[in-house]
Amino acid sequence: MKVLDILRVKGNTLYTVQPDEPLAAAVQIMAEKDIGSLVVMEHGDLVGMLTFREVIVCIVKNGGAIGSTLVRTAMDDHPLTCTSETELDEVRRMMLERHARYMPVMNQKVLMGVISLYDVAKAVVDSQNFENQMLKAYIRDWPAEEEARDAKGA
């Protein structure tokens, strides 16, 4: 399974922010849209990722207030990325190694979407459930000839 498979199911709604926007505005968007991350874009290029983790760290550094902080100050300016062709096993490994909950999907310099650790886990569980159903159906529909042959050989 590849990242493209997740993006197909998830849809293509993207929320971005610019690095020189107030952090308070970015947090408001995240709260209103019930999302955990924003991709930070500048002049059409990915320059960072803002998640609630970066927001919380910034608030703590500022003594509990956002104040006039800009997104640029809080964002992760070296976010982990993948392509739509990246295998899901590789994405899981990368996300676990870096403790990343969100990953922008880039094809060349084009932002294709963002996948979350939740999206990855859901895809794995859905795939396993499908495989289980297929195996159970196969076992239920076991050919009678093979059953008879197996019974004679036992």
Side-chain angles (χ1 to χ4, degrees):
M1 184 178 292
K2 295 184 179 189
V3 170
L4 181 62
D5 299 317
I6 292 176
L7 291 179
R8 272 193 212 121
V9 172
K10 186 175 178 169
N12 51 3
T13 303
L14 284 171
Y15 297 99
T16 63
V17 67
Q18 294 181 6
D20 293 325
E21 289 185 45
L23 183 59
V27 170
Q28 185 171 350
I29 292 168
M30 292 167 79
E32 286 173 0
K33 303 297 181 187
D34 191 26
I35 55 176
S37 69
L38 288 169
V39 179
V40 185
M41 301 290 287
E42 186 173 42
H43 308 296
D45 292 325
L46 171 74
V47 294
M49 190 76 181
L50 182 69
T51 72
F52 275 118
R53 177 184 288 155
E54 287 81 27
V55 172
I56 290 168
V57 167
C58 185
I59 289 172
V60 168
K61 283 182 183 176
N62 286 335
I66 290 180
S68 59
T69 305
L70 298 178
V71 169
R72 181 182 307 280
T73 305
M75 71 182 192
D76 174 359
D77 59 0
H78 289 91
L80 195 57
T81 63
C82 65
T83 71
S84 59
E85 290 299 311
T86 306
E87 293 287 337
L88 218 49
D89 286 341
E90 177 67 7
V91 170
R92 279 192 305 193
R93 184 192 62 72
M94 292 165 57
M95 292 178 101
L96 289 171
E97 274 182 11
R98 286 266 307 265
H99 296 254
R101 290 187 179 99
Y102 301 93
M103 186 182 301
V105 180
M106 303 291 293
N107 284 353
Q108 310 288 315
K109 288 188 163 247
V110 178
L111 177 64
M112 304 302 291
V114 174
I115 60 170
S116 68
L117 196 54
Y118 171 85
D119 298 327
V120 172
K122 183 179 181 319
V124 168
V125 168
D126 289 349
S127 175
Q128 289 173 342
N129 286 341
F130 178 73
E131 188 175 316
N132 279 343
Q133 289 173 350
M134 293 291 99
L135 288 170
K136 287 176 182 175
Y138 178 76
I139 291 168
R140 263 195 312 273
D141 297 336
W142 198 278
E145 290 176 24
E146 289 185 29
E147 286 179 19
R149 219 176 318 145
D150 289 344
K152 287 180 188 176

